[in-house]
C-alpha cells in the first residue's frame, strides 16, 4: 500500500493521509509548487525546503521540448538534474499539448503538434508520454489524457473522455518502472455522468492514485465543487486523489472538504512575479501607491523570510525598480502561504477541528481586503 | 583612527588593513558588491553574507530618484530599508549624473539634469549630495565630483578636476554626520600631474579616505595602472584607498599590488545576469553549446552554492529557458569568486606570499579558456 488515510474529518470527509514514494513520504493534504522547466520559478531548492515544500511538480511537455528527456536521463534523472531530493510528480503533457501547442492533429493513436518554442512537429502518444516520464524518473507519473476546453459540448466531452480511458489502458500497459506510481486522470468536463463513467473505468484498471483533470479551466467554482461532490463518494477511499491545476486558497479549502489530497497550481508563483500576494486578509497588490510608506510586512501573521525581514514599502520599491528580488520575495511568500495553509488543514483534520479552521480562514480571507 | 594597515607586502606594497565603520570592521583589501537600487541584483542579504560580503555599495543617484532619500530615512535608513546590517558605502551620484542623466547643465554651483526614469529636472549640488547620503545613513559617503569621459582633453580634464576640488571643500563643510566617513575623490583623467595636484589638494582637507575615480571608463589597462602607480606613493599610508568601479579579476590583482584597499564593480552581477561567469581558468559563457551535456560545476575549484549543487548543463538549460534561477546562480557564483579572490589576496599579504598568489592566479586565469 502506497497510501493510507490517517485521519478523517467526520463532518466534511476531509482526509489526512500519508503517501509513500521512492523519495520519501508525502503527508497529505499537500500543495505542490510547480517547477515547469526543472525549476520552481524564482526559487532555489533550499528555499523550497525552508517553506516546507514536500513534493514539487515538473511538466513533461516542457521538459520533453527542452532540454529533452534524454539529457535529463543522462544527468541521472530530474531529481539530480535540478538538485531536488524530495518527491517529484510529473504531469503527462496532455494539458499543454491541448492548450500551449499549435496545429494539433488528433487521432486515436495520439497527437501531432507543433512546439510552441520553435514550431517543430512532434508526435505524442500514451506510450511516449509514459516513456518520457520514466526517463525523467519522477516519483509519480500521469496517464496521457485529453483535456477539453470549457465549455465543451456533451458529445465532444464524451468522445474525449472515452479516448482518455483508452489511452489510460495503453499507459498502464506501457508503464514499467516499479519505483514510479502511475495515476489515472478522470475527465468528463462538467458532466457528472461522464465523470462517473470515467472514474469507474479507471478504477477497474486499479491505479495507485486518481487525478481529477479538466477543472479550473473556466467553469464556475460552483460547477467545480459539484463535480468534486459527485466524485467524492465514488473514488476509492484508500487511494490518493489529486485535483490538477487548482490553487486558489478558497478552492484548496473546498477541495480538501471534498476529500482531495493533492493540489498544484502556478498561481502562487505567477502571481508572485506579477506583484500580487496572498495574505491572511485576502490578496494584496504590492504595487499599490497606498503601500509606499507602509513599513509593515506583506502579511503580519506570516513567518516566511519575506515577512520576517522586509516591509511592504521596500518590496513595492523593488517592484517599481524592476528588481529580481521583488519577484523572489513575493513568490517565496505566496508559496509559503499556500503550503502552510494546507499544512494547517492537515493538522486541523487530525485534531478534529477542520470545519472551524476552514470557516475561520474563509471568513477573514474572503471578507476583507488587505489593500486597505 | 578609522583605518590601520595590519600587514604589507614588502615586494609590491600591497596592504592588508582594517577599516572601522559604524556597522563593523571591514577587512581590506575588499571587494564590495554593488546594490544600486537598495538591492544587489538577484541576491538576498543572507546570500551576500553566505559568500562573505563585508560591505556593499548603494547608488545615491538612483536612490535619490527612486524611492527618494526621505522615504529611506523614514524607513530608518538604508540599512533597515533593505535589511542589511553590515557596512554600506554610497557613491555621490557624480558618475551617474555625468553618464546616465540627460540634458545636463553644468555650473560651479552644481548640475541641472533630467532623470533617466521620467525626464524630470533636478539640481544636484555638493551640499545636496552630502545631505542625501546623510539621510540614507551609509557608513561611508563620497564627495560630489565631476567624472570626465575618456578621452578628454588636458584642458577640460583640468577644469573638471579643479571643480572637483572646490566641490570636495563644500562637501567637507556641509558634512555633519559623525557616524559617517566622507571620502574625497581624486580625478584628473589619465594625466599624472593633474592626479597629483588633485590628491595634494584633497589631502590638505584631510579626508578619512581617498577614492580614485574616473578610471575604467575606456582607457587601457596600462593607462589605469600608470595612474595607480603615480598615486601609490603620494596618498597617505594610513588612510584607505578606494578604486571606484573596477572589478575585473586581473584589475583587482593589479590594483591590490598598487596599494588599493577597496573595489566595487557591477561586472560580476551584470555578467551573471548575462550568463558569463568567472572561473579559476578564465571566463565561461554558460550558454555555449559545448556545455549542453557537461555535468561538472561552473568552476570545479569553487565552493559556492551554485558550484556545490548544480551542473553547467543544468545552468545552461535554465538560461535557455529564461529562468530567474540562472541569473541567481551565475550572480551568486561571480560575487563569490571576486569576494574570495580578494579575501585570498588579503590572506596572502598577511602570510607574505602575495606575489606568488597574484602570479599563480593570473597565469591560470589569463592563460587558459574555461570554454574548452
Amino acid at each position: 500500500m502506497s497510501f493510507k488515510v490517517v485521519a478523517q474529518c467526520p463532518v466534511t470527509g476531509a482526509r489526512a493521509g500519508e503517501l509513500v514514494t521512492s523519495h520519501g513520504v508525502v503527508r497529505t493534504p499537500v500543495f505542490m509548487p510547480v517547477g515547469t522547466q526543472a525549476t520552481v520559478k524564482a526559487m532555489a531548492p533550499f528555499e523550497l525546503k525552508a517553506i516546507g515544500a514536500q513534493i514539487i511538480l515538473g511538466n513533461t511537455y516542457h521538459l520533453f521540448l527542452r532540454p529533452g528527456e534524454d539529457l535529463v536521463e543522462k544527468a541521472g534523472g530530474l531529481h539530480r538534474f535540478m538538485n531536488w531530493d524530495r518527491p517529484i510528480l510529473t504531469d503527462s503533457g496532455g494539458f499543454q499539448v491541448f492548450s500551449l501547442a499549435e496545429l494539433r492533429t488528433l487521432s486515436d493513436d495520439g497527437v501531432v503538434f507543433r512546439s510552441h518554442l520553435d514550431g517543430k512537429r512532434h508526435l505524442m502518444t500514451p506510450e511516449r508520454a509514459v516513456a518520457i516520464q520514466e526517463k525523467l524518473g519522477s516519483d509519480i507519473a500521469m496517464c496521457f489524457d485529453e483535456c477539453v476546453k470549457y465549455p465543451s459540448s456533451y458529445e465532444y466531452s464524451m468522445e474525449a473522455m472515452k479516448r482518455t480511458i483508452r489511452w489510460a489502458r495503453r499507459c498502464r500497459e506501457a508503464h514499467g518502472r516499479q519505483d514510479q506510481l502511475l495515476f489515472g486522470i478522470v475527465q468528463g468536463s462538467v458532466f457528472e455522468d461522464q465523470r462517473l463513467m470515467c472514474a469507474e473505468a479507471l478504477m477497474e484498471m486499479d491505479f495507485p492514485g486518481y487525478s481529477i483533470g479538466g477543472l479550473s479551466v473556466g467553469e464556475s467554482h460552483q460547477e467545480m465543487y459539484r463535480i468534486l461532490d459527485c466524485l467524492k463518494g465514488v473514488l476509492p477511499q484508500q487511494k490518493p486523489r489529486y485535483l490538477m491545476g487548482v490553487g486558489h486558497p478558497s478552492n484548496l479549502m473546498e477541495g480538501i472538504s471534498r476529500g482531495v489530497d493533492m493540489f498544484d497550481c502556478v498561481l502562487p508563483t505567477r502571481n508572485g512575479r506579477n506583484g500580487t500576494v496572498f495574505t491572511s486578509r485576502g490578496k494584496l497588490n504590492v504595487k499599490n501607491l497606498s503601500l509606499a510608506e507602509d513599513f509593515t510586512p506583506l502579511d503580519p501573521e506570516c513567518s516566511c523570510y519575506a515577512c520576517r525581514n522586509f516591509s511592504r514599502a521596500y518590496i513595492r520599491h523593488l517592484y517599481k525598480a524592476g528588481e529580481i528580488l521583488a519577484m523572489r520575495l513575493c513568490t517565496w511568500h505566496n508559496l509559503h502561504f499556500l503550503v502552510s495553509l494546507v499544512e494547517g488543514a492537515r493538522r486541523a483534520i487530525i485534531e478534529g477541528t477542520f470545519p472551524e479552521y476552514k470557516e475561520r480562514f474563509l471568513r477573514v480571507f474572503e471578507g476583507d481586503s488587505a489593500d486597505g
Side-chain angles (χ1 to χ4, degrees), chain A residues 131-164:
Chain A
I132 295 168
Q133 292 178 83
E134 290 192 335
K135 284 189 175 179
L136 295 175
S138 52
D139 299 275
I140 304 173
M142 294 295 129
C143 287
F144 191 58
D145 62 328
E146 180 178 351
C147 179
V148 299
K149 64 183 194 304
Y150 178 87
S152 277
S153 71
Y154 184 86
E155 291 67 30
Y156 189 79
S157 170
M158 177 71 84
E159 194 185 315
M161 181 273 285
K162 287 185 174 169
R163 185 158 32 234
T164 292

Side-chain angles (χ1 to χ4, degrees), chain A residues 262-324:
Chain A
M262 303 163 70
F263 302 88
D264 81 285
C265 193
V266 296
L267 201 65
T269 41
R270 183 173 293 162
N271 274 357
R273 295 197 306 287
N274 294 334
T276 300
V277 294
F278 300 120
T279 81
S280 49
R281 294 177 169 271
K283 283 205 277 188
L284 179 72
N285 183 335
V286 304
K287 288 163 284 184
N288 280 355
L289 181 59
S290 65
L291 307 189
E293 302 197 357
D294 184 341
F295 298 111
T296 64
L298 291 178
D299 185 351
E301 291 172 36
C302 177
S303 63
C304 82
Y305 173 72
C307 289
R308 277 185 287 110
N309 292 286
F310 305 98
S311 66
R312 292 172 170 191
Y314 178 65
I315 294 172
R316 177 176 187 273
H317 160 69
L318 292 178
Y319 248 103
K320 303 294 279 186
E323 289 287 354
I324 287 172

Side-chain angles (χ1 to χ4, degrees), chain A residues 3 33-34 55 57 85 108 118 120 133 137-138 178-179 185 208 234 245 252 275 298-299 313-314 352 363 368:
Chain A
F3 182 73
V34 177
I55 171 172
L57 190 138
D85 57 11
D108 236 41
D118 60 7
K120 223 175 130 188
Q133 292 178 83
S138 52
Q178 295 298 314
D179 60 351
I185 303 183
V234 174
L252 294 179
L298 291 178
D299 185 351
Y314 178 65
R363 192 181 58 233
D368 225 340

